[in-house]
Amino acid sequence: MKGGELLVLLLASSLCLSAAVAAQETCPADIGAKCGDAASDDWEGEFFPGIAKINYEGPTSKKPLSYKWYNAEEVILGKKMKDWLRFSVAFWHTFRGTGGDPFGAPTKNWPWEDGTNSLAMAKRRMKAHFEFMEKLGVERWCFHDRDIAPDGKTLAETNANLDEIVELAKQLQSETNIKPLWGTAQLFMHPRYMHGAATSPEVKVYAYAAAQVKKALEVTHYLGGENYVFWGGREGYQTLLNTDMKRELEHLANFLQAAVNHKKKIGFNGTLLIEPKPQEPTKHQYDWDVATTFSFLQKFGLTGEFKINVECNHATLSGHSCHHELETARINDILGNIDANTGDPQVGWDTDEFLTDISEATLIMSSVVKNDGLAPGGFNFDAKLRRESTDVEDLFIAHISGMDTMARGLRNVAKLIEDGSLDELVRKRYQSFDTEIGAMIETGKGDFETLEKKVLEWGEPTVPSGKQELAEMLFQSAL
């Protein structure tokens, strides 16, 4: 056995042992000898004892487990806050996140986990997930197929596992007011997808990915999902020396068109979303940013079938701000959903942190308000606890902080609109185009001969100040 293999084995053994010990010592529910028993999915009692439903208590509250700015039923700019924000919990980060990273073993040992990836464990995890959402007051969730149910030895066995967990999720949804914001297929982790899924050079992999998306679409539809997301984690290349880019892009377009066809065949009326990301894990991913993705959709005649799921951390990796990506999507009428997270400016990778920057949240909400909301999309917390945050209550605190931040951003936008000074600054900056000659240009009738005559008549233009510092001052005044 190689040294690296031995280290992985020791880490895995240590993790399973620590998870079992943690389950035996900290199980808060009254399940007696069944505590940590992988053969049982029974859990009598609460997964989060001592944590009550999170309520709005206002900005003066000092309680970590309370909302200071998010008041779900409060009306802001003509809509309830919950309808502007439409929050969602990401199953993969919140209930499958381990705290592991490329440099360290997992650190999360939740009391309901037993160290297995069994069906019984998957059911117990799903029950914990719904209790968490109910106590948080969030009505939507997002999932990958392979995060909620374990792989089997064959596709048929894997689908059967997924069906069993989906039936439990369906039951839990019927007992609550919770449903999926979106579902998706995980087409990047398994070794079969090492060269991509829809862009793999191996036809059998392409076909397997198609079968997986078919099932994930059907499951999302069955659960009442409002959207379905395509995140091409490995749809790109490491080097062009062994890549036929034209052929791969055509394959990807055909794959997406087949997904559109199947969506219509099964009667799924949800929105199909593409989530751009520039790199990581591949050197170059084909959906680099919103503009690149929009160009791809235009080239292959798919603009009417897809909208964009903007992830803020992905925006920064592509060299843009989240605000830029949202505006690019909005003005092209393809803004569909937002993955509310951020990255560390000192770390050059996708750290998926909860967004807590009030300024950035305000910029994001300015685009959302101009878009008249995101429905049927929303804000999915594609964010995870830091590796060093290991208390169960940290799951709540992280989401509360993220929700309060976005709510505060919405309140700030309302203040900016009510004040009107920033909008007036922008209006004045472009007021020269509100003239007769400006209207001629904006309607496409400004031929060069006419414009040349006007320049000879006007002489040298006088260019006014852009007032950038004033714009920033007005923006900051709302924070």
Side-chain angles (χ1 to χ4, degrees):
M1 180 179 292
K2 296 179 181 178
E5 294 172 340
L6 178 59
L7 177 59
V8 170
L9 179 60
L10 290 173
L11 286 173
S13 300
S14 175
L15 174 60
C16 291
L17 177 59
S18 61
V21 170
Q24 292 169 4
E25 293 178 348
T26 63
C27 275
D30 183 18
I31 59 174
K34 292 181 179 178
C35 184
D37 180 5
S40 172
D41 63 340
D42 294 336
W43 187 280
E44 299 169 10
E46 295 183 9
F47 289 88
F48 305 96
I51 297 180
K53 183 175 176 61
I54 310 301
N55 294 314
Y56 172 73
E57 297 188 8
T60 61
S61 175
K62 301 299 182 183
K63 288 175 55 179
L65 297 179
S66 69
Y67 294 118
K68 288 80 178 171
W69 300 96
Y70 176 61
N71 186 8
E73 299 296 325
E74 183 179 348
V75 176
I76 303 284
L77 298 174
K79 293 182 185 180
K80 292 180 179 180
M81 293 190 83
K82 68 177 185 180
D83 295 327
W84 277 117
L85 298 167
R86 291 171 58 85
F87 288 129
S88 170
V89 173
F91 190 92
W92 56 95
H93 279 323
T94 306
F95 285 90
R96 299 310 304 272
T98 66
D101 64 24
F103 309 99
T107 60
K108 309 284 193 287
N109 294 321
W110 305 130
W112 56 84
E113 293 284 340
D114 61 20
T116 73
N117 194 28
S118 65
L119 271 172
M121 184 63 250
K123 291 178 181 179
R124 193 183 309 156
R125 197 180 287 123
M126 185 63 70
K127 292 176 182 177
H129 171 63
F130 272 83
E131 183 185 319
F132 176 77
M133 287 189 291
E134 281 197 282
K135 289 189 171 182
L136 198 61
V138 171
E139 298 177 348
R140 294 170 183 82
W141 65 296
C142 296
F143 65 92
H144 295 83
D145 50 359
R146 298 301 181 256
D147 295 327
I148 62 173
D151 260 321
K153 295 179 180 178
T154 64
L155 179 61
E157 185 178 320
T158 298
N159 286 346
N161 289 346
L162 184 57
D163 286 338
E164 193 165 338
I165 299 303
V166 165
E167 284 306 316
L168 173 60
K170 185 80 167 179
Q171 175 193 328
L172 293 170
Q173 287 186 176
S174 70
E175 298 168 358
T176 63
N177 191 33
I178 296 170
K179 62 180 179 180
L181 179 64
W182 50 259
T184 187
Q186 190 192 81
L187 303 177
F188 50 89
M189 185 173 290
H190 195 282
R192 78 173 68 89
Y193 297 126
M194 64 180 176
H195 301 304
T199 60
S200 173
E202 174 51 58
V203 70
K204 291 181 180 178
V205 173
Y206 182 103
Y208 199 105
Q212 191 173 336
V213 169
K214 173 182 177 293
K215 182 66 174 178
L217 269 168
E218 292 165 356
V219 164
T220 302
H221 179 41
Y222 178 69
L223 289 174
E226 298 178 272
N227 308 270
Y228 182 90
V229 167
F230 291 85
W231 178 61
R234 297 189 184 276
E235 308 295 23
Y237 63 79
Q238 297 292 2
T239 175
L240 285 173
L241 293 174
N242 64 356
T243 301
D244 186 334
M245 187 194 295
K246 180 177 182 293
R247 201 169 187 182
E248 289 194 2
L249 286 168
E250 290 171 348
H251 290 174
L252 178 59
N254 290 337
F255 190 93
L256 294 175
Q257 182 60 62
V260 170
N261 296 342
H262 192 66
K263 166 198 165 177
K264 294 177 179 178
K265 181 178 181 180
I266 64 177
F268 176 48
N269 295 319
T271 302
L272 299 181
L273 301 166
I274 295 178
E275 180 178 326
K277 187 180 184 184
Q279 56 205 13
E280 189 197 69
T282 65
K283 179 179 180 179
H284 176 91
Q285 285 167 227
Y286 293 134
D287 50 4
W288 182 274
D289 59 6
V290 173
T292 304
T293 305
F294 184 52
S295 175
F296 170 87
L297 294 174
Q298 287 180 311
K299 175 178 173 62
F300 291 103
L302 294 167
T303 49
E305 304 293 352
F306 289 86
K307 289 196 173 185
I308 300 292
N309 178 42
V310 174
E311 178 172 320
C312 290
N313 200 169
H314 292 179
T316 54
L317 290 175
S318 69
H320 306 304
S321 67
C322 189
H323 192 207
H324 168 89
E325 289 291 85
L326 292 173
E327 284 296 278
T328 303
R330 183 184 70 80
I331 65 177
N332 288 297
D333 196 30
I334 55 172
L335 176 56
N337 195 81
I338 296 174
D339 273 1
N341 64 13
T342 191
D344 190 317
Q346 294 178 296
V347 179
W349 64 349
D350 192 8
T351 53
D352 286 331
E353 300 178 36
F354 280 85
L355 196 158
T356 57
D357 186 309
I358 306 301
S359 176
E360 184 172 7
T362 304
L363 291 170
I364 289 169
M365 289 311 303
S366 70
S367 291
V368 172
V369 169
K370 288 175 184 175
N371 199 61
D372 195 28
L374 294 170
F379 283 91
N380 175 50
F381 285 111
D382 189 3
K384 57 192 175 188
L385 293 180
R386 297 304 86 197
R387 186 169 187 269
E388 303 81 7
S389 298
T390 56
D391 291 340
V392 167
E393 75 164 8
D394 293 335
L395 291 170
F396 286 89
I397 291 171
H399 283 81
I400 291 168
S401 180
M403 292 166 73
D404 266 347
T405 299
M406 298 313 304
R408 196 167 177 181
L410 175 60
R411 292 180 185 276
N412 290 342
V413 171
K415 286 193 288 184
L416 286 168
I417 291 174
E418 182 181 0
D419 175 73
S421 298
L422 187 56
D423 286 341
E424 179 63 10
L425 184 152
V426 175
R427 187 197 69 77
K428 285 184 176 179
R429 190 169 183 224
Y430 294 91
Q431 65 184 356
S432 66
F433 279 88
D434 296 330
T435 61
E436 181 181 354
I437 194 70
M440 182 186 299
I441 292 170
E442 291 190 338
T443 55
K445 299 176 181 177
D447 63 89
F448 281 3
E449 287 81 3
T450 300
L451 295 177
E452 182 187 42
K453 290 177 182 178
K454 296 303 294 184
V455 170
L456 293 171
E457 175 187 331
W458 290 333
E460 184 65 27
T462 300
V463 183
S465 169
K467 312 299 287 188
Q468 179 176 333
E469 291 77 13
L470 177 57
E472 291 168 348
M473 178 187 289
L474 294 171
F475 176 78
Q476 291 294 329
S477 68
L479 306 185

